[in-house]
Amino acid sequence: MKQLWKVGELAKLTGLTIRTLRFYDQISLFSPSAHSDSGHRLYSEADLSRLQQILSLKELGLSLDEVKSVLTGEHFSPLEIVSLQMARLKENIQIQQNLLSELSYVSNLMQLKQPVTVDDFTTLLDMMKKSHEKFIIERRMTWERRLDLLGDLVDGHSDDAN
């Protein structure tokens, strides 16, 4: 007999929230292959495989729109996906290298007891902001997932929720 999972079971299995799975369904990124007689979403092994692809592409840093384009074969080839991820990593490395250079410059000024100007601090703060921008976005997404999970618990969703 073919294995089928209800949305709550799939959420537990994958570590995603029910709300995330419902959102993916709403935007037509990931929909169940069947519904029970009572209307519950039912996910198959093929659905689980597609979800694994989605999560892998997200892990590469693709947006949900980019993931959707990849899975529908609209815009990205595997080479383009790898190239996109490489470009993002190079950009992050460059931001970190610039921050390191500016920190070294300010540190040297301080060690030599030279004045550190307002412009020096402004430049440093701007680079720190750029450096932490991605971290802040990732932290916000983590908290949103936690709030979604808490919301699922508060809303009283059970494992067999639609």
Side-chain angles (χ1 to χ4, degrees), residues 10-22:
L10 186 65
K12 280 186 178 179
L13 183 67
T14 62
L16 297 173
T17 66
I18 292 170
R19 287 185 181 183
T20 297
L21 293 169
R22 287 180 177 159

Side-chain angles (χ1 to χ4, degrees), residues 2 15 32 68 72 74 86 100 120-122 135 142 152:
K2 191 174 183 182
K68 196 172 183 180
T72 58
E74 292 177 7
M86 287 173 49
L100 179 59
D120 293 331
F121 275 117
T122 303
F135 171 78
T142 298
D152 287 341

Side-chain angles (χ1 to χ4, degrees), residues 14-17 19-21 23-24 27 29-30 50-71 81 84-85 88 134 137-138 141-142 144-145 148:
T14 62
L16 297 173
T17 66
R19 287 185 181 183
T20 297
L21 293 169
F23 177 70
Y24 287 178
I27 63 170
L29 177 63
F30 176 68
R50 180 174 172 90
L51 183 58
Q52 186 275 329
Q53 289 176 319
I54 291 167
L55 298 177
S56 295
L57 292 168
K58 279 188 64 193
E59 187 68 29
L60 284 174
L62 274 65
S63 70
L64 291 179
D65 286 337
E66 290 168 332
V67 169
K68 196 172 183 180
S69 292
V70 168
L71 293 177
I81 294 168
L84 177 63
Q85 182 62 14
R88 287 179 179 165
K134 186 171 184 173
I137 290 168
E138 289 173 0
M141 288 172 42
T142 298
E144 286 173 357
R145 284 192 297 267
D148 281 347

Side-chain angles (χ1 to χ4, degrees), residues 88-119:
R88 287 179 179 165
L89 285 172
K90 286 177 183 178
E91 180 182 351
N92 287 339
I93 290 168
Q94 187 61 51
I95 289 169
Q96 295 301 316
Q97 287 176 334
N98 291 345
L99 176 59
L100 179 59
S101 293
E102 190 62 26
L103 284 167
S104 295
Y105 172 73
V106 169
S107 175
N108 287 337
L109 287 177
M110 291 175 165
Q111 288 174 5
L112 296 171
K113 301 199 186 304
Q114 297 290 322
V116 180
T117 67
V118 171
D119 286 341

